[in-house]
Amino acid sequence: MPPPIESSEAASTPNTRLSPAPPSGLSAMPPHPSPSAAAGAASRTVYSDRFIPSRSRSNLALFDLATPAVPSPYCERLSAALFWPATPDRVASSAAACSMSSSSPSSSASPVGVGTPGSGNIFRFKAEVAPRRAKRALFAGGDEEDPLFPGMFRATGARPRKIPRTPYKILDAPTMQDDFYRNLLDWSSQNVLAVGLGNIIYLWDASRDKVTKLCDLGEDDDACSVGWAQLGTHLAVGTNQGKVQLYAIVVARIRTFCNTTTSSSVDNVSLIWDVTRSKRIRTMESHRMRVGALAWSSSLLSSGSRDKSILHHDIRAQEDYVSKLTAHKSEVCGLKWSYDDRQLASSGNDKRLFVWNPHSIKPVLKNTEHKAAIKAIAWSPHLHGLLASGGGTSDGCIRFWNTAKNIHLSCVDTGSQVCNLTWSKNMNEIVSTHGDSQNQIIVWRYPTMSKVATLTGHTNRVLHLAISPDGQSIATCAGDETLQFWNVFPPLKSQRCVSLSVMGETSFVRSYIR
């Protein structure tokens, strides 16, 4: 214990005793002298061995953030996150608490409980928890929660990123038909791109940058659609004669590393072989006219035709198709299964958009807001039930639907024909391709639908669109007979770690060979 500090008068009185300190938690005021010692109290100063403060006159309102004349958005979000949103009831109760705390402690008014909304105490415990929206708005750049989709936030404060305005690769696509109702481009999960050029189907392996010829449909037939299965092991081809051909694709990637334990020069060579084998396993001839749309759901293949029908083919069954859907009044030019395989979206030249259940023969949802043919449809991989659709030349709009509640969410007029739509796998953004004098590729940020980038590289309408399995690149094909590749989206963190590990392995092998 530190020695007591005394004044000069107290030091001249050797028999003076210090007053004992009050017990902890009792009165915070110094002890009152007795009447007999009142005369001696004026001639000496008494100090206790410790100080216990009194909070009876503390102004807790000082901890509240003062609201300026024109408060900034950041100050409002900070105050809402740390304390509580400034409402009229809270302001009134806080003022009452301040006046009560400044009054005499012997007042008969009942004290305000700690943790209540009007106590002015910054430590809220469990009584007041800052709402999730306020925290999200503060730490996520001002995102706002979508009322129609709980848990989905509107990115209003995201930083703009730089997207290259030129493609990183361009391939020739001769005999590419300028037909709006065909779907001749698809990218598999095995990183193999399938494209239909006239009556020939080509495969481009992005891993080794090699093009192989899959099949030739003959002079009396040509390709109208291609579609990969989810695992990338089967490719379906729709033809002009109403046939659906099924091919089994085997992509074997064999790595042979060097062996320096032997003296043979052959064993010191490291080779990487990519073997692609294909075989046509089935041909289904159930449609009477061309098949322009294909969509996979596990082992179920759906095909849409110009004969206005949609057929479900089970590749494990002997029958050509297991069910038939007949709701469209014109050619079916768009088919997409949702990512959970629970809903099928179909669109056609009849300006109608339908949503089906896996086992329904009638559509569960019908939408007729578009004013032109609908080819572009895409399901969001980030939110269940979010569907996007794009209209043709007379419409030019991108519409968003909540299929879980059958609600039309929003509409954006692009001013040109919407040929294709696809969602980003890594970000909450969507890509659209256009025709009719614009011939552009637009990257949109959802749900604000602000333009992230506008890419112009084609000289004709961009009819086909596909996204890479890693979600970073897109491939576009147009009537100008060019196939262009664009680097649009950043990789995921997990993909960055994998790419770094692969780079490390590659550099290790190269240094090992040397």
Side-chain angles (χ1 to χ4, degrees), residues 132-333:
R132 182 179 181 184
R133 180 179 302 176
K135 292 184 178 180
R136 181 78 180 189
L138 177 64
F139 300 108
D143 293 359
E144 298 179 0
E145 189 172 4
D146 196 329
L148 298 177
F149 285 102
M152 177 63 71
F153 293 88
R154 302 176 182 268
T156 59
R159 295 181 178 179
R161 69 178 188 277
K162 296 181 179 179
I163 297 178
R165 294 300 192 269
T166 57
Y168 66 86
K169 178 182 282 294
I170 299 178
L171 299 177
D172 291 330
T175 67
M176 169 59 70
Q177 300 187 29
D178 187 13
D179 192 344
F180 176 77
Y181 299 98
R182 303 194 182 204
N183 296 273
L184 298 173
L185 190 67
D186 198 14
W187 210 327
S188 75
S189 59
Q190 299 293 331
N191 207 12
V192 178
L193 186 72
V195 55
L197 300 177
N199 56 356
I200 301 178
I201 306 298
Y202 291 96
L203 301 180
W204 179 71
D205 192 344
S207 301
R208 52 177 179 163
D209 194 13
K210 184 177 180 180
V211 179
T212 58
K213 178 181 176 181
L214 175 64
C215 64
D216 190 340
L217 301 177
E219 297 181 356
D220 56 345
D221 203 355
D222 58 350
C224 294
S225 58
V226 293
W228 284 100
Q230 296 172 350
L231 298 179
T233 56
H234 293 83
L235 176 67
V237 178
T239 70
N240 194 35
Q241 293 183 353
K243 300 178 182 179
V244 177
Q245 296 184 359
L246 189 62
Y247 292 85
I249 311 296
V250 178
V251 180
R253 310 194 184 279
I254 304 174
R255 292 188 177 184
T256 304
F257 297 96
C258 59
N259 185 7
T260 59
T261 58
T262 61
S263 59
S264 174
S265 61
V266 178
D267 294 334
N268 290 333
V269 178
S270 177
L271 299 178
I272 299 178
W273 294 346
D274 290 331
V275 181
T276 303
R277 294 177 297 175
S278 61
K279 180 182 178 182
R280 188 176 66 181
I281 59 177
R282 192 169 183 178
T283 301
M284 294 165 282
E285 304 180 5
S286 303
H287 288 288
R288 295 179 287 105
M289 304 180 74
R290 68 177 183 183
V291 180
L294 296 170
W296 284 87
S297 170
S298 184
S299 60
L300 188 67
L301 172 64
S302 302
S303 60
S305 173
R306 199 172 189 175
D307 61 7
K308 311 173 188 178
S309 65
I310 301 174
L311 299 181
H312 291 324
H313 312 270
D314 192 341
I315 62 176
R316 303 167 298 180
Q318 296 182 354
E319 298 82 3
D320 282 352
Y321 64 93
V322 293
S323 61
K324 184 176 182 179
L325 310 178
T326 57
H328 285 280
K329 305 300 181 182
S330 185
E331 179 177 4
V332 180
C333 50

